Amino acid sequence: MKRVSLLLMLACALSFYSCSSDDIFDDNVPAVPEQPNVINRDGKTDGIGYSLKNVTLNPDVVVLNSGNSELLSSEQELSQGIIKVNSNQLINEGAVLYIQSGDYTGLKKAVTVRKTGAQSYELQTEQAQLGELFESGDINLSLDMYEASKAKDEKNGELRAGVYEIDRTYEIINLMEEYQWGDVLKFNPSTKVKANLYMNMSFGKSQLLPSKFTTYFEIVPAMNPLLAFSGSVNQTYEDDIVRFIPGQMIEFIKEQEFDIDIPLNVLGIESIPAKVKIQDINIPTTIEANLANQTDFTFHVNGSFKVGYEMDIDGLNAKVTPIYENNIIAEAPGVSDMQGELLTNTQVVIVPTIYMLDGLYKISGDISFGFKSETYGGGADLPENPGNFASKGVFTSNMTVLVDLLVMKVPVEIFNQDKEIWNMGSFDKKVIYSDLSWKVSSKYSNSILLLSRLYETDFTVKYKYPILGKKVPAELLVSYEVYQDNNKTKIQTVTNEVIVPADVTADSFTFKLNIPFKSKLFSYQTKSYLKNIVIKDRNGYVYEGIYNTAKGINENSFEIKR
């Protein structure tokens, strides 16, 4: 016994004398090992990447997993927040519970606790928040949908491809088939779209919600459409080209669902689950062709754009900053000898949904992007348009989503992010409106604001575009002024009133305006003057005044009698 005591005293003495006073106050003291509930980890597999930086978990969270508990609740009971469980864990009212059993994972707070046995509980719970699980740190996620889809297929062999009897494809959109659209047009969308998702959550002490929540998509399109017109045509094609895609391909596209597990492996918590799903895809397309000859048209668009948001959260207040970055590029179009006009508008609408922890957080909405082009060639049908060529292409993109954080819902909208990617040549978009005639009907309404009676008036006008066979569109915009019967005192100024052409022929149409006639003592004037007429459409064709073919002049004042 004395020998053991002597050895202990010697060890203590050596320990004391091995540390000088300089060593005690040395700044280079080895760092204190990280606490077991602080996580720093990153990795990437099957297209899914994650990074956890200084993530600290609430040590008081009660973890109920297959190792210490048996979950007895039915699906209906779980949806109602009723947790029946056998567990060796101590559960008190107010406890934050992380439950992971089979396919179910939930984050709950115990509202009431009833013991039904020595180690059995029936709990009434409410939804807890991630801020009650994570006390600090940053969680970053990335999802390459192409790689994740490819990995999923490789793990399942060729199961999906075999079921749908199509070649395996991993882009969220892959349309490479040629479709016959009507009698004259063959259309190959030749479009592939890849998508990546990035998310970040930052947590602060004693805050229910993340202090920062960032989500954005990176969309990578490759669009090389070909439109082949076999002859002359004056037609507008309008449809969702999804209609042309075989049903099994649509099912294949919409089956894309990605499960993400954020590995923790701390305090008995294996992972945090998230899910990304493509709910729907639509491709509305409009092609207006007014062509005098056989025409082929193609263009090439590639690159990428990012769209999303950064949300700073303080309590229940959220400040949203949009994220948008456009790196789309294009080559000028390839066009055969065009005589006429070709307008195209193809939009891709993707409807993604992101869930975390059994719907604890949900992000849903739609991302739309696409391409509009207008190309003109020839135009020699009017003497003042001796023949020319012009083409312009615009890439469009929008995002509208709702971020549902349970305790608050935050809408995020990024509208009309258009980028012109080519603009070449010039074309005089001049249309002639001529020989206006009218008839004032007996229908009227009274305007207290104008101190007038508004009479419905039917107008007929002739028109001529510099494009052979082109007809007026479904809507026009008209601006004008109306004067009293002295032709000097203005009654009304109208700017860009929408009119709907009716009885449209190759060279004329009718439309209606409500013309005011000023009130006078116990009556209304019988004459007004319609002046300074400007008619235009949404594609940029505009004409000021009305041309009088008999007189060979442009008129800008018309006497309207009732």
Side-chain angles (χ1 to χ4, degrees):
M1 182 72 181
K2 289 182 179 179
R3 183 173 179 176
V4 172
S5 300
L6 187 62
L7 287 172
L8 287 173
M9 292 176 62
L10 180 61
C12 290
L14 288 171
S15 298
F16 180 82
Y17 287 109
S18 64
C19 296
S20 66
S21 60
D22 290 337
D23 291 328
I24 292 173
F25 296 100
D26 188 359
D27 289 336
N28 297 316
V29 176
V32 177
E34 286 189 348
Q35 299 178 24
N37 65 332
V38 177
I39 310 168
N40 285 284
R41 185 179 300 131
D42 57 63
K44 186 171 185 179
T45 181
D46 295 342
I48 300 170
Y50 63 90
S51 172
L52 295 88
K53 298 180 179 179
N54 298 322
V55 174
T56 306
L57 273 67
N58 176 3
D60 296 326
V61 170
V62 178
V63 179
L64 306 179
N65 57 31
S66 57
N68 59 31
S69 306
E70 180 186 8
L71 185 62
L72 305 175
S73 299
S74 65
E75 287 187 15
Q76 182 178 359
E77 287 172 329
L78 289 174
S79 67
Q80 296 171 345
I82 300 172
I83 306 297
K84 296 177 180 178
V85 63
N86 294 333
S87 178
N88 59 20
Q89 301 295 296
L90 178 62
I91 305 174
N92 295 316
E93 288 186 3
V96 177
L97 311 172
Y98 186 85
I99 307 167
Q100 199 164 35
S101 176
D103 294 333
Y104 178 78
T105 302
L107 185 63
K108 302 292 184 180
K109 181 180 287 187
V111 178
T112 62
V113 177
R114 185 169 69 91
K115 290 204 72 173
T116 56
Q119 292 187 331
S120 300
Y121 297 88
E122 182 173 322
L123 315 172
Q124 183 63 52
T125 66
E126 63 182 12
Q127 185 66 61
Q129 295 293 328
L130 279 183
E132 296 174 282
L133 175 62
F134 298 107
E135 294 188 333
S136 63
D138 295 279
I139 298 176
N140 296 283
L141 287 177
S142 66
L143 169 63
D144 183 327
M145 295 186 186
Y146 179 89
E147 293 297 333
S149 181
K150 184 178 179 181
K152 186 177 181 180
D153 242 19
E154 289 174 349
K155 287 180 178 179
N156 295 332
E158 296 194 11
L159 176 62
R160 290 200 302 159
V163 168
Y164 294 114
E165 298 178 348
I166 56 177
D167 292 335
R168 294 197 301 178
T169 176
Y170 308 117
E171 295 87 356
I172 61 172
I173 296 176
N174 185 318
L175 302 176
M176 306 301 291
E177 297 292 326
E178 183 178 84
Y179 308 107
Q180 184 71 44
W181 200 345
D183 297 330
V184 179
L185 171 60
K186 286 186 177 179
F187 178 40
N188 187 339
S190 190
T191 294
K192 295 182 179 181
V193 179
K194 295 181 180 180
N196 304 315
L197 169 67
Y198 299 89
M199 293 180 64
N200 164 265
M201 290 178 289
S202 299
F203 295 92
K205 189 79 171 177
S206 303
Q207 185 162 323
L208 287 179
L209 297 173
S211 57
K212 181 168 287 189
F213 192 15
T214 302
T215 305
Y216 70 88
F217 286 87
E218 180 182 34
I219 308 295
V220 186
M223 306 172 71
N224 305 281
L226 172 63
L227 288 76
F229 296 89
S230 59
S232 63
V233 61
N234 294 103
Q235 188 172 344
T236 297
Y237 304 83
E238 192 167 11
D239 211 335
D240 188 330
I241 65 172
V242 166
R243 181 176 68 85
F244 295 108
I245 304 171
Q248 66 267 31
M249 173 65 93
I250 292 297
E251 292 178 26
F252 184 73
I253 290 173
K254 294 180 182 179
E255 191 204 39
Q256 297 175 92
E257 184 173 294
F258 307 94
D259 293 310
I260 302 172
D261 287 311
I262 309 167
L264 298 181
N265 298 317
V266 171
L267 300 179
I269 301 175
E270 294 180 6
S271 62
I272 299 292
K275 186 184 293 290
V276 180
K277 181 176 176 62
I278 303 298
Q279 300 278 58
D280 203 0
I281 292 176
N282 297 291
I283 311 174
T285 298
T286 301
I287 299 170
E288 182 180 346
N290 296 288
L291 302 168
N293 60 339
Q294 178 180 336
T295 303
D296 292 341
F297 177 77
T298 185
F299 58 84
H300 309 283
V301 174
N302 52 51
S304 66
F305 72 97
K306 296 176 182 178
V307 62
Y309 61 86
E310 180 179 276
M311 187 183 301
D312 290 294
I313 303 173
D314 183 9
L316 295 179
N317 297 311
K319 178 185 177 182
V320 177
T321 303
I323 294 174
Y324 187 81
E325 181 181 315
N326 192 325
N327 295 303
I328 294 295
I329 58 175
E331 296 178 18
V335 189
S336 62
D337 183 23
M338 176 187 287
Q339 294 291 321
E341 168 192 73
L342 181 60
L343 310 176
T344 73
N345 186 355
T346 296
Q347 298 296 309
V348 178
V349 183
I350 303 172
V351 184
T353 303
I354 305 169
Y355 305 88
M356 290 198 69
L357 261 178
D358 194 33
L360 174 60
Y361 294 164
K362 181 180 178 182
I363 304 165
S364 59
D366 60 71
I367 300 170
S368 64
F369 63 93
F371 188 81
K372 296 189 296 185
S373 72
E374 50 183 76
T375 303
Y376 308 89
D381 193 39
L382 292 181
E384 57 269 40
N385 264 331
N388 41 43
F389 176 84
S391 184
K392 182 171 75 171
V394 176
F395 184 85
T396 67
S397 50
N398 301 278
M399 185 184 80
T400 305
V401 298
L402 180 67
V403 183
D404 186 349
L405 304 176
L406 291 184
V407 293
M408 66 177 179
K409 294 177 172 62
V410 184
V412 180
E413 298 177 336
I414 301 175
F415 286 132
N416 301 325
Q417 296 295 328
D418 295 352
K419 179 180 180 180
E420 185 176 277
I421 50 181
W422 80 67
N423 193 341
M424 55 189 295
S426 63
F427 188 88
D428 187 4
K429 293 183 178 180
K430 188 173 184 181
V431 58
I432 291 179
Y433 295 100
S434 63
D435 302 330
L436 185 70
S437 60
W438 58 88
K439 182 179 180 180
V440 181
S441 75
S442 58
K443 298 178 182 178
Y444 66 84
S445 60
N446 293 315
S447 172
I448 297 175
L449 181 64
L450 298 177
L451 298 175
S452 299
R453 179 169 284 178
L454 306 178
Y455 280 85
E456 185 179 284
T457 305
D458 298 304
F459 290 88
T460 300
V461 67
K462 293 182 178 179
Y463 71 95
K464 191 171 188 179
Y465 282 97
I467 301 294
L468 186 65
K470 179 176 172 63
K471 292 185 177 181
V472 291
E475 289 184 347
L476 291 170
L477 303 175
V478 60
S479 300
Y480 57 91
E481 296 172 340
V482 181
Y483 286 75
Q484 292 186 31
D485 59 3
N486 61 12
N487 200 15
K488 294 180 180 179
T489 307
K490 187 188 297 185
I491 303 175
Q492 183 185 32
T493 297
V494 176
T495 303
N496 291 337
E497 178 181 339
V498 176
I499 60 173
V500 179
D503 306 315
V504 177
T505 69
D507 64 354
S508 69
F509 63 92
T510 64
F511 64 96
K512 298 179 183 294
L513 293 178
N514 291 314
I515 302 298
F517 290 82
K518 195 72 173 181
S519 65
K520 60 181 183 180
L521 187 63
F522 306 117
S523 183
Y524 291 89
Q525 295 178 358
T526 60
K527 182 169 59 176
S528 290
Y529 285 87
L530 179 65
K531 305 176 73 170
N532 302 321
I533 301 174
V534 178
I535 303 176
K536 61 183 179 180
D537 66 19
R538 300 186 191 277
N539 290 325
Y541 288 95
V542 60
Y543 190 71
E544 297 182 8
I546 302 293
Y547 187 74
N548 188 317
T549 54
K551 297 179 181 180
I553 60 172
N554 201 48
E555 295 181 320
N556 241 323
S557 180
F558 303 90
E559 182 183 84
I560 311 294
K561 291 183 177 180
R562 64 180 180 88

